[in-house]
Amino acid sequence: MKTMAHLGVGIGWRPEIADAVERLPGLDWVEVVAENICPGHLPASLLRLRERGVRVVPHGVSLGLGGAERPDAGKLAALGERAVALGAPLVTEHIAFVRTASPALEAGHLLPVQRTRDALDVLCENVRIAQDALPVPLALENIAALISWPGEELTEGQFLTELVERTGVRLLIDVANLHTNRVNRGEDPFAVLDSIPLEALAYVHVAGGVERGGVWHDTHAHPVPPVVLDLLAQLRTRVEPAGVLLERDDDFPAEAELARELAAIRRVADPAGPARPSSSPGPRPGATPARDSAPDPAPHTPAGPEGAARTDAEGPERARVRVGLEQAALLSALVGGTPVPEGFDRRRVRVQARALAAKRADVVAKVAPELPGILGGEDPYREAFLGYARNRPMTAGYRRDALDFAEHLLIRDLPADPAARRRLTSWWRDRVGARPPRRIVRWARTLVGRAA
């Protein structure tokens, strides 16, 4: 595997902190959410950073390479276009699934893939499809999770190692996610670092979070805690990472605080400086025992000349069907209120379901900021949206979700205030546009009559 080009210390570029990012001292590179930029209309801030020689790496969040379906060709093409437009040395995505095809459901979030032979086979094929379509190398990130799959056959380290061996993909290791999974799933982050092929490391993510009720929430909206910097230091004792990046996605602090966080990360990541000593914390009281050495992997055929880890008489399509059924059952429970599949921790699934609904409400309010105002404020909006979302899964993205939420209210003669209802009707009509005739047309005619 070729040596990864040096990136240095960087930060996730976000529009809300674009000016501050440009002023940060000693900034080496930035990462941008790929889906949030348009190749033909790059933000002026990103263009100025590139002119200064600051590298920009697109970070995708919507491919869902761990899902049962093959990667969407359009999404792959779009990710490649952004890499070319930014002159990026690589692109990154996640080891996660984000949707199911049957039924058609969107999580709006990165969900953990089953660590089974079937899921690994599907992931490896999807990664190879993506690698063939992309113009630059691909790196994949380990994700944070609230829930564990029952009946897993591989540890995290075994899963990541075999993924690299079979596809040659690089790894983006998020040390904050390692800490999250230590708290939430009882997994030993040091065992993961000891067992994965660190020569495949592309770069490292660092982020903050918060613990509530024994659950660690990977918020990207809190300062980086010392325990995460300790994990970065532990990784650095094993390998010198080509790049380290601070992620901050919400509740942005003052520019000076961002600069201090980057400086703290640089002190740990800088190979010329002393690494932080690790506190090597043991198991948390009441936590599930660390599992990275727990399951015995199922026997498998050694990889062949084309990288296939086994020959399955049933064929790879059967693996996709099995993975798809399992993921659909879990996602339906999380976003559609169906029964929790056997073997899952029901309490944790409920926590995850509430977190998904809250995130969905937050993102809809961002893509449709008029809605809280029309509905009388943040609290009435959130109460109405969570009631709508309880048994109405998202199927086509957040903008469509905002329109469907407005339809849901108007069909029920809500909001109760006639003036607010007229404003919501006008907002909805302005955005629906031409659509194929279906049930919504009848609703629209009714709504126009009511608003007249």
Side-chain angles (χ1 to χ4, degrees):
M1 186 172 287
K2 293 177 63 176
T3 303
M4 179 68 197
H6 181 73
L7 292 171
V9 175
I11 192 170
W13 184 94
R14 303 294 183 264
E16 297 89 339
I17 54 172
D19 292 341
V21 167
E22 288 190 64
R23 291 189 293 265
L24 287 171
L27 183 67
D28 298 313
W29 67 293
V30 298
E31 182 190 77
V32 60
V33 177
E35 289 81 356
N36 290 351
I37 60 168
C38 177
H41 303 280
L42 294 176
S45 172
L46 283 180
L47 293 175
R48 287 192 294 268
L49 287 169
R50 288 191 61 211
E51 289 170 0
R52 282 169 38 190
V54 175
R55 281 181 165 169
V56 182
V57 172
H59 186 54
V61 297
S62 65
L63 269 182
L65 291 174
E69 300 299 312
R70 287 176 173 78
D72 181 87
K75 291 182 183 296
L76 282 172
L79 184 56
E81 288 171 3
R82 283 150 179 77
V84 172
L86 294 168
L90 78 165
V91 296
T92 59
E93 249 286 355
H94 300 82
I95 302 169
F97 81 99
V98 298
R99 66 182 61 86
T100 59
S102 182
L105 299 174
E106 290 279 345
H109 189 70
L110 303 165
L111 294 176
V113 173
Q114 311 96 302
R115 289 184 294 216
T116 61
R117 289 284 163 201
D118 277 346
L120 182 60
D121 288 347
V122 170
L123 174 63
C124 287
E125 185 179 4
N126 287 349
V127 168
R128 286 190 286 265
I129 292 170
Q131 289 171 317
D132 289 343
L134 292 169
V136 294
L138 171 67
L140 294 180
E141 178 181 351
N142 61 306
I143 70 162
L146 280 172
I147 54 180
S148 297
W149 284 87
E152 294 195 319
E153 299 166 336
L154 301 164
T155 67
E156 178 79 344
Q158 291 164 341
F159 194 86
L160 295 178
T161 297
E162 192 161 330
L163 171 65
V164 171
E165 290 174 348
R166 291 170 60 176
T167 66
V169 75
R170 289 189 178 274
L171 296 176
L172 191 180
I173 295 299
D174 188 318
V175 291
N177 290 351
L178 293 179
H179 173 64
T180 301
N181 294 340
R182 167 167 51 192
V183 176
N184 295 347
R185 304 205 288 184
E187 295 177 353
D188 182 355
F190 306 106
V192 176
L193 293 177
D194 284 339
S195 60
I196 60 176
L198 289 174
E199 67 274 9
L201 182 65
Y203 60 87
V204 179
H205 273 175
V206 179
V210 64
E211 186 174 349
R212 300 190 188 100
V215 173
W216 186 270
H217 297 271
D218 182 46
T219 63
H220 295 190
H222 292 80
V224 177
V227 68
V228 171
L229 289 178
D230 285 345
L231 284 174
L232 176 61
Q234 276 295 310
L235 183 147
R236 218 212 86 189
T237 65
R238 293 158 170 82
V239 67
E240 182 183 327
V244 181
L245 183 122
L246 170 65
E247 288 188 294
R248 189 76 180 230
D249 294 328
D250 205 353
D251 196 16
F252 298 101
E255 183 176 330
E257 185 177 337
L258 283 177
R260 283 193 295 271
E261 284 213 283
L262 277 180
I265 291 169
R266 190 181 297 276
R267 284 194 294 272
V268 178
D270 184 359
R276 285 173 60 98
S278 170
S279 56
S280 301
R284 295 165 38 80
T288 306
R291 299 193 313 146
D292 204 62
S293 59
D296 292 323
H300 65 284
T301 305
E306 296 186 9
R310 62 177 181 177
T311 56
D312 189 340
E314 296 175 312
E317 291 309 309
R318 295 288 183 89
R320 287 191 181 275
V321 170
R322 290 189 292 266
V323 169
L325 289 173
E326 292 170 353
Q327 291 181 350
L330 175 60
L331 188 51
S332 295
L334 289 171
V335 303
T338 61
V340 177
E342 193 67 31
F344 282 94
D345 183 325
R346 285 172 166 74
R347 184 184 72 85
R348 283 297 175 90
V349 171
R350 288 194 293 271
V351 171
Q352 180 72 86
R354 289 195 296 270
L356 291 180
K359 178 180 179 181
R360 188 174 160 192
D362 290 342
V363 178
V364 166
K366 287 181 179 178
V367 301
E370 303 86 354
L371 290 177
I374 292 172
L375 297 179
E378 180 63 32
D379 289 343
Y381 157 77
R382 180 169 287 271
E383 181 181 357
F385 187 89
L386 293 178
Y388 149 80
R390 190 168 295 117
N391 295 302
R392 292 171 181 81
M394 181 168 60
T395 60
Y398 289 109
R399 286 179 175 79
R400 181 69 256 168
D401 205 23
L403 291 171
D404 289 345
F405 169 53
E407 285 176 15
H408 166 80
L409 294 178
L410 292 169
I411 291 165
R412 288 157 180 76
D413 287 323
L414 296 172
D417 175 55
R421 197 161 60 248
R422 285 193 295 271
R423 288 177 62 200
L424 186 60
T425 301
S426 176
W427 180 90
W428 179 83
R429 272 193 289 169
D430 287 345
R431 288 159 179 78
V432 169
R435 299 184 54 177
R438 58 186 180 93
R439 183 171 58 177
I440 191 174
V441 175
R442 299 196 299 273
W443 293 346
R445 290 171 182 161
T446 302
L447 293 173
V448 170
R450 288 177 183 165

